[in-house]
Every structure is written in structure tokens, then in C-alpha cells.
């Protein structure tokens, strides 16, 4: 039996400013006492994407307010916190620096230990926070800046077995929304438009299915949607709502097909580890997409595995996942000191070769 541990966690690597308080009790169960997330969509809306300088300034302005609110909601005074956790990368460097500086200030002022956490580890370990999934499990991490398959063997043991060689799916959803004049963030608006759409009206590619392995590519698909749109604009003089719906549906169906086929291949590699309870997990903002979730659940079932997708609030960026990753790490790692650096790139699996490309929302690591 361990002792009760309470962490305060900060997250500011992209366009959400977040703070959370988590408590792990003596029998190892973790509870989220508070999770505050302040998005910045309205600040970036006019620019059609996240502007790093605006994001960094907004984080610096409200991080301390988020921390205050997280402590208030958790009814936990700062002196009762055992450790401070913060996303130290990968991500937009200005935002990561804002979070790391705030966390260092808190650690210095209180004398509490400081833990720099990899944002991707936060996403990848979330299924253990929500569903206590045993190691090893297969994780498909899909967000605005990342897309990779990970064999998660321990809190600090990740093997990447594939990923995107260009755009991340969330980034592609955002770009498709922009070229169809749908609101940002693109994922939810494309998903909504797709519900009224006919998937087969346009013939769109399923990139890299002819290549063995689990690597993916989404930029050619994006270009194909752009060409189809331009064709419609040329022929009709503009886009009708049904065109937006059909292009959204066609694009989403192509993403679903690619993710399903590549996940099925990743499952075969995962089974070679002979897990006692096979589990496919999905995390990251794109995991909020119902069509993607439903199809991945079928892939898991067809491959004799369970399926875990965290609740939406824990799929998108949040600080609870950072606090949980810190609690997993604290068991057998010393804290960081005040030289902790903010890292724009920080691969989870340093042994695998780096992925190509880098998303607008951060490193694909
Ligand atoms: O994990 P996240 O909050 O931030 C990153 O680390 O990137 O993911 C945000 C991304 C955005 O690109 C957004 O468009 C996408 O997740 N997203 C979705 C949906 N909800 C959010 N993509 C597809 N369908 C959705 N319903
Ligand atoms: Zn993320």
C-alpha cells in the first residue's frame, strides 16, 4: 500500500489552457478532483488556425487563474498538493514555455517537487486513468498534431509502430473545414456536415493502403477534396450546403477506412506481444469522432480485443491526463529540477526513426 498523493497539473501546449487536481489513494485508485479547460477558439477564429504568439500570450494571461480555479473546485489548498506536474513538450513552444514557467514558479514558491510530462504520454496513458487498462495495450493517438500507433508496455515504455508521414488527421479535418467554409475547429463541424452527406458522390483516395505497415498519409486526400471543391465552384459558381455535406462525408469515410485498415495491421503486430487481455485504445481530439470510434470498435472486436475510448472531455487536451501521467511516473522517477526545459519536439519512442512532417499544431514526434 502506498500513501495518498495529490498533484496539481498544468497543460498549455496548444490552444487549451488547462489545470487539474488529481488524488491517488493508498490503494492506487486515482480520482480527478477538478479539471479546468479554457479553450482559445474565439481568439484564433479570424485567422483560420492557431496563431502561436496569440496562444502563448493567452496561456500566460490565464494559467494562474486556471490553477486557482482548479484548486478551488478541488477544495484543496496549495499546501496540500504533493507535486506539481506540467506539460514540458511536445507542442507550440511559446505555450509550453508559459506552462513550464508557471509550474516552476509554483514549485519554487512552495518547495514542492516538479514533474515535466510528455503531452503524448498524457494522451497515451489516459485509458489507464479512465478504465484501468493493463499493459501492454495498443494505442492509436489521433489529434490535431499527432497520429501514431503505440505499443504501450509501461508508464515510460512506448514503442511506435507507425504514424502519419505528413498531416495529422485532426489537422486534415481542420483544413477541410476551412476549404469548405465550415467553422473551426474543423473536426466537429465536418462530422456534423457529414451526417447529411452522401459518402460515395465523390471518388476520394485511401492513401498508402497499398504500402505495407502502419504508416499513413492524409495530405493527398486533402488535395483531392480541394480539387473536387474547385471543380464544383468552377461548374456551379459556388458551393451548396449539400456539396459541403457530401464532401465532408466523403472525406470522413476515407479517413475512417484508412484508420480502420491500418489499425487492423497494427493489431496483428500487437498480438505478437501475447497480451493477456488484448485492448485497443484510442485517444486525442479526433477520437471524439463518432464514425471513427464506431469503426475502430468493430476492428477491435474482429481482432478479439476490447475497445477503450476515453470520454470526450479526456480525449481532447486537458490537464487531468498530465496529472495522471505524473502520478504513474512519480512511483519510480525522481522529480525534475528547476532546469526543466520546454521542448517543441519530444518523441515518446526515441528509438524509432523520427516521423516526417510537422503539424501546424505541434510536433508529430
Ligand atoms: O487532442 P486535441 O485536443 O489537441 C491536439 O493535441 O491536437 O485535438 C484537437 C483536434 C483538432 O484538430 C480537432 O479538429 C479534432 O481534434 N477534433 C475532431 C473532432 N473533435 C475534435 N476531429 C474529428 N472529429 C471530431 N468530432
Ligand atoms: Zn493533444
Amino acid at each position: 500500500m502506498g500513501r495518498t498523493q495529490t498533484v496539481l497539473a498544468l497543460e498549455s501546449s496548444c490552444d487549451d489552457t488547462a489545470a487539474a487536481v488529481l488524488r491517488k489513494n493508498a490503494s492506487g485508485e486515482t480520482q480527478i478532483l477538478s479539471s479546468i479547460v479554457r479553450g482559445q477558439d474565439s481568439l484564433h477564429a479570424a485567422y483560420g488556425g492557431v496563431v502561436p504568439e496569440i496562444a502563448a500570450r493567452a496561456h500566460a494571461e490565464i494559467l494562474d487563474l486556471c490553477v486557482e480555479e482548479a484548486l478551488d473546485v478541488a477544495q484543496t489548498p496549495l499546501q496540500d498538493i504533493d507535486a506539481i506536474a506540467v506539460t514540458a513538450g511536445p507542442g507550440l513552444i511559446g505555450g509550453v514555455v508559459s506552462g513550464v514557467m508557471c509550474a516552476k514558479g509554483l514549485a519554487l514558491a512552495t518547495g514542492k517537487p516538479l514533474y515535466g510530462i510528455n503531452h503524448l504520454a498524457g494522451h497515451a496513458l489516459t485509458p489507464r486513468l479512465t478504465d484501468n487498462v493493463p499493459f501492454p495495450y495498443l494505442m492509436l493517438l489521433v489529434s490535431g498534431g499527432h497520429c501514431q500507433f503505440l505499443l504501450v508496455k509501461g508508464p515510460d515504455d512506448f514503442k511506435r509502430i507507425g504514424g502519419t508521414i505528413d498531416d495529422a488527421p485532426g489537422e486534415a479535418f481542420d483544413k477541410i473545414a476551412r476549404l469548405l467554409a465550415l467553422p473551426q475547429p474543423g473536426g466537429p463541424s465536418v462530422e456534423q456536415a457529414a451526417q447529411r452527406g452522401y459518402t460515395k458522390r465523390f471518388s476520394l483516395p485511401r492513401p498508402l493502403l497499398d504500402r505495407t505497415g502502419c504508416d499513413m498519409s492524409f495530405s493527398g486526400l486533402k488535395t483531392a477534396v480541394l480539387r473536387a471543391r474547385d471543380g464544383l465552384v468552377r461548374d456551379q459558381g459556388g458551393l451548396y450546403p449539400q456539396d459541403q455535406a457530401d464532401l465532408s462525408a466523403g472525406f470522413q469515410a476515407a479517413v475512417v477506412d484508412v484508420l480502420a485498415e491500418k489499425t487492423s495491421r497494427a493489431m496483428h503486430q500487437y498480438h505478437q506481444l501475447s497480451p493477456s487481455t488484448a485492448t485497443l485504445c484510442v485517444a486525442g481530439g479526433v477520437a471524439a469522432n463518432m464514425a471513427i470510434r464506431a469503426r475502430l470498435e468493430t476492428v477491435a472486436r474482429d481482432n478479439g480485443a476490447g475497445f477503450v475510448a476515453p470520454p470526450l472531455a479526456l480525449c481532447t487536451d486537458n490537464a487531468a491526463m498530465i496529472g495522471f501521467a505524473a502520478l504513474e511516473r512519480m512511483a519510480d522517477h525522481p522529480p525534475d529540477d528547476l532546469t526543466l526545459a520546454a521542448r517543441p519536439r519530444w518523441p515518446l519512442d526515441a528509438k524509432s526513426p523520427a516521423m516526417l512532417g510537422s503539424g501546424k499544431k505541434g510536433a508529430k514526434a
Side-chain angles (χ1 to χ4, degrees):
M1 287 276 255
R3 63 181 186 89
T4 298
Q5 286 178 311
T6 309
V7 294
L8 167 67
L10 278 63
E11 154 65 39
S12 56
S13 64
C14 186
D15 57 350
D16 290 301
T17 316
V21 176
L22 279 81
R23 182 162 297 152
K24 185 174 184 175
N25 68 21
S27 40
E29 288 144 10
T30 302
Q31 207 191 341
I32 302 173
L33 301 185
S34 63
S35 179
I36 309 297
V37 182
R38 296 277 170 264
Q40 304 177 349
D41 289 347
S42 59
L43 298 179
H44 303 287
Y47 306 96
V50 177
V51 183
E53 291 76 10
I54 294 177
R57 200 173 315 132
H59 288 306
E61 277 168 12
I62 66 163
L63 262 165
D64 54 346
L65 301 176
C66 286
V67 167
E68 210 172 2
E69 196 178 343
L71 292 169
D72 270 2
V73 173
Q75 298 186 336
T76 307
L78 191 52
Q79 63 265 26
D80 290 358
I81 295 290
D82 295 304
I84 316 258
V86 63
T87 300
L92 298 174
I93 193 62
V96 182
V97 168
S98 301
V100 168
M101 294 309 286
C102 182
K104 282 185 184 176
L106 288 165
L108 188 62
T110 58
K112 311 279 183 195
L114 173 71
Y115 283 85
I117 299 297
N118 184 313
H119 177 86
L120 302 175
H123 278 304
L125 294 171
T126 299
R128 291 178 53 74
L129 167 63
T130 56
D131 294 79
N132 211 9
V133 176
F135 296 121
Y137 54 88
L138 174 65
M139 158 64 61
L140 169 58
L141 178 52
V142 265
S143 70
H146 314 287
C147 179
Q148 50 192 286
F149 288 107
L150 294 165
L151 298 176
V152 186
K153 300 191 227 170
D156 205 16
D157 188 353
F158 306 93
K159 179 157 178 53
R160 198 186 62 228
I161 57 170
T164 183
I165 60 166
D166 43 51
D167 291 358
E171 188 181 2
F173 268 97
D174 294 340
K175 285 181 184 163
I176 295 302
R178 223 166 8 257
L179 61 90
L180 296 180
L182 295 169
Q184 293 293 321
S189 49
V190 169
E191 180 175 19
Q192 203 184 354
Q195 281 163 7
R196 298 178 285 107
Y198 176 56
T199 51
K200 296 205 166 66
R201 175 166 160 207
F202 300 95
S203 162
L204 297 171
R206 270 68 176 151
L208 291 200
L209 286 196
D210 55 345
R211 195 195 282 185
T212 55
C214 306
D215 283 346
M216 291 165 279
S217 159
F218 296 98
S219 86
L221 174 59
K222 183 188 66 197
T223 309
V225 175
L226 174 69
R227 292 225 174 87
R229 181 206 69 171
D230 288 349
L232 290 174
V233 172
R234 201 176 44 240
D235 298 345
Q236 309 173 161
L239 283 189
Y240 292 101
Q242 194 56 48
D243 301 327
Q244 289 174 312
D246 292 342
L247 281 168
S248 294
F251 165 76
Q252 183 174 275
V255 174
V256 168
D257 282 352
V258 170
L259 289 176
E261 170 59 25
K262 297 287 176 166
T263 303
S264 184
R265 294 183 198 176
M267 291 287 317
H268 287 121
Q269 289 197 42
Y270 168 57
H271 277 302
Q272 285 162 15
L273 294 177
S274 310
S276 52
T277 326
T279 317
L280 167 65
C281 302
V282 61
V286 180
N289 185 290
M290 288 305 165
I292 293 174
R293 275 183 186 235
R295 188 68 172 279
L296 293 176
E297 192 163 9
T298 309
V299 172
R301 199 177 46 236
D302 291 350
N303 285 278
F307 179 69
V308 169
L312 301 191
L314 293 173
C315 273
T316 48
D317 285 352
N318 66 88
M321 67 180 190
I322 302 304
F324 181 73
L327 285 166
E328 294 250 274
R329 192 171 175 75
M330 281 158 69
D332 51 6
H333 284 81
D336 290 292
D337 61 28
L338 292 178
T339 64
L340 173 69
R343 301 171 64 170
R345 286 188 173 261
W346 186 358
L348 265 185
D349 174 6
K351 290 192 208 94
S352 295
M355 299 300 296
L356 301 173
S358 80
K360 75 175 167 57
K361 287 193 159 191
K364 287 195 180 86

